[in-house]
Structures are given as structure tokens and as C-alpha cells.
Amino acid sequence: SASNGDASMLHYGANERRAILLGKLGGQKVLRQAIDTFYNKQLEDERLMFFFRGVNVEIIKWHQFNLMSIAFTAVPDNFSLEDLLLVRHKRLFDMGLSEVYFDMVAKHFEDTLIEMNVDEALIKEALEVVMPLRKVFAQGARDALERKKKADRTRYAVMAIAVAAVAVAVFKLAKSKRK
């Protein structure tokens, strides 16, 4: 249909703009340098460092490079970054990852680009690619809270059953002692 063709053209246009943006930023070599600086900032931030305990940062940098290469070029139609973040990073959301931490990381990203003397208009454009992910972090935090509430309800139910079982046992023991 004509509308489907229009949508694919819009999608192509967005991918084309991202590829141009990556080129304007300096290409993959600069992106790799930016990721190194970006992660050093995060690792030095006391508010964020606990997310990195026991983690091989070089592997994370490699994943980040690949992810940003995609984000700043062509996002495949079958790729859902939202699903990747929400499903693969439940543990981080359960640790408290939220849009508050997203904001801290986004600020480190912006500061990295500023330190690298990237033009202000390009920084704005790069942030426009990244900032829509903030809502995913808010959703991940809400999902983690729901998981915690469900786990708490289950734990309370199990405790109530255990207390009831102990009460029945004590009652039976007391009853048998009276005889």
C-alpha cells in the first residue's frame, strides 16, 4: 500500500540521517574513543559505580559500541532496543536502575561529546537519538517495582502459611499434653 511505502521511506530517511550523524561525529574511531571516555566517567561516578561491580567493562564497552553504531546508522526493522533493555537487563532494574540513572548517564554522554569538542548542534542531534530511551528506563523501573511487590506478596503468603502450620502444630501439641 502507499502508506506502507511512505512509512518505509520515513524509516529509511531516519536511518540515512543517523548514518550522516555518525559521519559528522567522526565515524567509528571517534565513537570508540567517546565510549572509552563515557565509561570512565560512569565508573568514576559514585552514584553509578555499583551497577558495574563484578562486570567486565570491556565487554560492556564492546556491546555499547555495537549498539551505538546501530543507533547512529540503521536500526533494523526487527530490532527492538526497548525489548532488549527490558528483558536482558531486569537485574539492573531490580537493582534500582531508573530514569534518574538514565539522566546521569545521558549527562555523562553529553559531557563526553563536549570534551571531545563536538559541535553543539551535533551534540543536540546525538542526544535526540538517545533521549527517547528515557521512557524505557522509567518502564523498567515500574516493572521492577511490580516484580518486587509480587515477590513480597508471595513471601508474605508463604510466611502466613508457615505461621498457620506452626500454630496448628502448637495447638495439637498442647491438646495432646492435656490428655
Side-chain angles (χ1 to χ4, degrees):
S1 74
S3 65
N4 188 21
D6 294 343
S8 67
M9 191 56 137
L10 288 172
H11 187 69
Y12 174 78
N15 287 337
E16 184 77 11
R17 284 189 303 279
R18 287 186 187 109
I20 290 169
L21 174 60
L22 180 61
K24 287 180 184 176
L25 289 170
Q28 292 193 340
K29 180 180 179 185
V30 170
L31 181 59
R32 194 174 306 279
Q33 178 188 350
I35 288 170
D36 283 339
T37 302
F38 174 57
Y39 270 93
N40 288 340
K41 287 182 176 302
Q42 292 179 74
L43 291 167
E44 293 167 3
D45 188 330
E46 291 180 8
R47 302 166 301 172
L48 296 170
M49 61 178 46
F50 75 96
F51 287 113
F52 295 98
R53 282 194 195 114
V55 173
N56 183 332
V57 175
E58 292 307 313
I59 291 174
I60 292 176
K61 285 181 183 180
W62 178 80
H63 283 292
Q64 186 73 51
F65 175 79
N66 289 325
L67 194 60
M68 289 182 116
S69 293
I70 290 169
F72 289 123
T73 55
V75 178
D77 290 334
N78 65 346
F79 181 78
S80 170
L81 183 56
E82 182 174 335
D83 289 345
L84 176 76
L85 290 169
L86 292 174
V87 174
R88 298 281 310 266
H89 298 299
K90 281 182 184 176
R91 182 183 70 81
L92 294 174
F93 289 115
D94 290 342
M95 290 172 62
L97 187 62
S98 68
E99 68 276 17
V100 173
Y101 290 103
F102 176 87
D103 293 343
M104 292 175 200
V105 171
K107 180 68 174 127
H108 287 312
F109 179 63
E110 181 181 15
D111 290 347
T112 296
L113 296 178
I114 290 169
E115 283 178 26
M116 294 178 69
N117 297 315
V118 173
D119 181 73
E120 190 176 322
L122 289 178
I123 292 172
K124 183 178 184 276
E125 202 174 333
L127 289 172
E128 286 172 2
V129 170
V130 173
M131 291 312 289
L133 293 174
R134 187 179 193 279
K135 70 180 192 292
V136 178
F137 284 74
Q139 181 64 51
R142 285 191 299 272
D143 292 350
L145 183 59
E146 284 304 312
R147 281 191 300 276
K148 182 183 181 326
K149 286 179 182 176
K150 184 178 179 183
D152 287 347
R153 284 190 301 268
T154 301
R155 192 170 29 260
Y156 295 143
V158 168
M159 286 184 343
I161 291 168
V163 167
V166 169
V168 167
V170 167
F171 178 74
K172 284 185 176 183
L173 181 63
K175 191 176 176 183
S176 70
K177 296 253 183 194
R178 279 190 250 153
K179 291 182 179 179

